[in-house]
Structures are given as C-alpha cells and as structure tokens.
Amino acid sequence: MKHTRIRPFNTKVTYPEQKLDNDLCQAVVARGRTVFLRGQIGQNLETSESVCIGDVAGQAEQAMSNIAMLLEEAGGELQDICKVTIYIIDPRYREAVYLVVGRWLKGVFPVSTGIVVSALARPEWLVEIDATAVIPD
C-alpha cells in the first residue's frame, strides 16, 4: 500500500440501508507528511453514531474534535493544518460553525473554503469539515 490509512472503514457500516461496499478510511498519510482527512461531521468515530442532531455548532464541535483526534493518530496536530473546507446546508449556519472552527484553529492560519450545499450524505448532518495538513519533518 502506498499510503498509510488511518481508521479504515467500509461504507456499509455508515450507510447500512444502502447497497454500498466501499473500502475507505478517515485519513490518509501520503509520502509520510501530507495528511488528507475525510470530511468530518457530527459523528462519534468510535460508535458511528450521529451526535448533536439539530445543533450545527455541536456538530461542528464534534467534527473538529474528530479532526484533532485523526491528526494525532497520523502523527500530527491541528497546527499542521494548511487547508480546510467547510460545507453547510444553510447559509444561516455560517456564523455558528465558523465560531467553532475559529476557536479550534486559533493561530493556525489555514486557507479556508466555505461552501453551501443542498444536502450532506445523511439528512441529520448539517455541517461537514475536511482538512489537509502537512506534518513537518
């Protein structure tokens, strides 16, 4: 395998009602330094349970907690993040989400892209955040 996979999973676990069977992972470490994180949502990674239903700030908090945990498992930390993409399903959620993300990334200064989408993969998910990090040598 060319890349290190962090927390492999199969889509049939996250989406049991669908006929999916894809081998994925929560993060990939490429070339030993660059970490690509799967979009994180309001989901407990230990149980795959959706959390903070109806609470966009709570879901953003869980997503950022997941990002911090995955980066640590990959050998990095939040300060290594260079790019985040934030997907929200309602533009009115922007302030609440960005307040949470800003608190987690205070002093990190990544580039950021915000996108309003019509829906995420599950109807209860209100925000999704992905990140790319480069771990220093």
Side-chain angles (χ1 to χ4, degrees), residues 39 67 83-87 98 111-115 128-132:
I67 286 170
K83 170 81 168 100
V84 293
T85 305
I86 301 169
Y87 306 86
Y98 276 74
V111 296
S112 173
T113 300
I115 302 171
E128 183 169 331
I129 305 167
D130 69 46
T132 303

Side-chain angles (χ1 to χ4, degrees), residues 39-58:
Q40 296 299 309
I41 36 63
Q43 182 182 51
N44 179 317
L45 292 182
E46 303 300 332
T47 65
S48 297
E49 174 189 7
S50 291
V51 299
C52 302
I53 306 299
D55 176 7
V56 72

Side-chain angles (χ1 to χ4, degrees), residues 28-29 31 49 61 68 89 107 113 123 136:
V28 170
V29 182
R31 297 185 182 244
E49 174 189 7
E61 191 73 38
I89 64 162
T113 300

Side-chain angles (χ1 to χ4, degrees), residues 66-103:
N66 290 350
I67 286 170
M69 179 177 60
L70 291 166
L71 280 173
E72 185 176 322
E73 289 178 16
E77 58 188 353
L78 289 174
Q79 288 75 15
D80 299 326
I81 292 177
C82 54
K83 170 81 168 100
V84 293
T85 305
I86 301 169
Y87 306 86
I88 54 177
I89 64 162
D90 187 321
R92 293 173 292 189
Y93 294 157
R94 187 175 188 278
E95 185 175 355
V97 169
Y98 276 74
L99 284 170
V100 171
V101 173
R103 193 170 20 80

